[in-house]
Amino acid sequence: MAKDTPPRWDRRMQQRLARGEAAALGELYDRFASLVHSQAHRMLDDEDAADLVTREVFAQVWEDPEAYDPKQGSMRSWVARLTHRQSVRRLRREAALSYAREHGEGAVPDPEELERRVRSATAAARADYIVSSMPASLRQALELAYIQRRDYRQAAADLGVTEDEARRRLRLGLQLLSTANTRPREGCSPPGYGRAK
C-alpha cells in the first residue's frame, strides 16, 4: 500500500456517505463522536457548545462527504480538522458576543488577545488528541508518572517492564506531547490534524 493511500475503511466510508447511506453516518458517529465532542469541549470549555459543534461537524460530513481528501490524511484527521475549525469559529464568535455585551454593541475584542485564546484552546485540544491517539503503553506510562505521581522505577514495576523501557516510554510520550504547543503555519490546521503518518 502506498504511503499516501488512506486505509480501506476510510475510502469505503467516504463512498457510502456519498451514496447517502444513513447507516454509514451512524457508524462514523459511533467511531468518532467522542473524539469530536472531547476536542470541542476542551477548546470551548462548554458542554452545550461542544454538543452543538458535534452536531455541526457530523452534519457537515453528511452534507459534503466529497470534501474529504484522502491525500490529506485519514478520515479521523479530517474529522478532527473539521472539529477544530468549527470550534475556532464558535470560540471567536462567542468572544466577540461576550465583548460586545461588556463594552457595548459594535465593540470589537483585541485581535491579539483573541488569537492567544484560540492558540491556547488549540494547544489544549491538540494535547488531548495526542494523548488519545498515542499507543496505550505510552499513555499508561504518562498516567503513572504524571497523574499517579510515580517515578520511573515505580512506573516500570507497575507496567511490568524494565526501568530503561519505562524511561523510554516516558521520554517518547513527553516528546509527542511537546508538539502540542507547536504553532501551525498561517492558514493551516494544527499539527497532528493533517496527513496521517
Side-chain angles (χ1 to χ4, degrees):
M1 185 180 294
K3 182 179 179 184
D4 291 337
T5 304
R8 192 175 314 163
W9 184 90
D10 291 359
R11 291 190 310 265
R12 280 196 316 256
M13 177 57 67
Q14 182 183 29
Q15 292 165 352
R16 291 174 61 202
L17 289 165
R19 286 192 302 262
E21 288 183 34
L25 183 63
E27 187 179 326
L28 189 78
Y29 183 88
D30 289 345
R31 191 169 202 163
F32 297 130
S34 64
L35 166 72
V36 171
H37 190 273
S38 65
Q39 182 181 339
H41 190 273
R42 185 68 172 117
M43 287 188 72
L44 302 169
D45 196 26
D46 180 329
E47 188 72 26
D48 293 334
D51 289 344
L52 187 56
V53 165
T54 301
R55 287 193 300 273
E56 291 168 346
V57 166
F58 285 100
Q60 187 175 354
V61 168
W62 179 248
E63 291 170 8
D64 192 13
E66 290 86 8
Y68 167 60
D69 181 1
K71 292 177 186 148
Q72 296 298 312
S74 68
M75 187 157 289
R76 175 186 173 91
S77 294
W78 178 58
V79 169
R81 279 193 310 273
L82 293 176
T83 305
H84 177 261
R85 287 184 197 133
Q86 198 64 18
S87 297
V88 167
R89 280 188 204 114
R90 183 158 300 282
L91 186 64
R92 287 185 172 135
R93 186 171 41 238
E94 289 303 316
L97 289 172
S98 176
Y99 193 84
R101 279 192 298 269
E102 290 178 23
H103 298 91
E105 193 171 326
V108 179
D110 175 25
E112 288 180 19
E113 175 58 29
L114 183 55
E115 287 310 306
R116 275 193 295 276
R117 289 176 61 187
V118 168
R119 281 193 305 273
S120 175
T122 297
R126 176 148 165 66
D128 284 350
Y129 181 83
I130 290 168
V131 169
S132 69
S133 299
M134 70 176 50
S137 60
L138 299 182
R139 191 170 46 250
Q140 290 167 342
L142 288 173
E143 287 173 359
L144 287 169
Y146 293 97
I147 295 173
Q148 297 180 25
R149 301 287 194 203
R150 304 242 199 292
D151 65 24
Y152 74 93
R153 287 183 181 97
Q154 294 166 324
D158 289 350
L159 294 169
V161 298
T162 65
E163 292 177 5
D164 285 341
E165 177 62 14
R167 276 195 299 265
R168 188 191 69 76
R169 289 179 186 184
L170 287 169
R171 185 172 48 251
L172 184 54
L174 289 173
Q175 286 171 340
L176 288 171
L177 276 176
S178 71
T179 66
N181 285 321
T182 303
R183 191 167 178 189
R185 293 187 319 266
E186 194 157 324
C188 295
S189 296
Y193 295 137
R195 176 160 292 160
K197 304 284 188 267

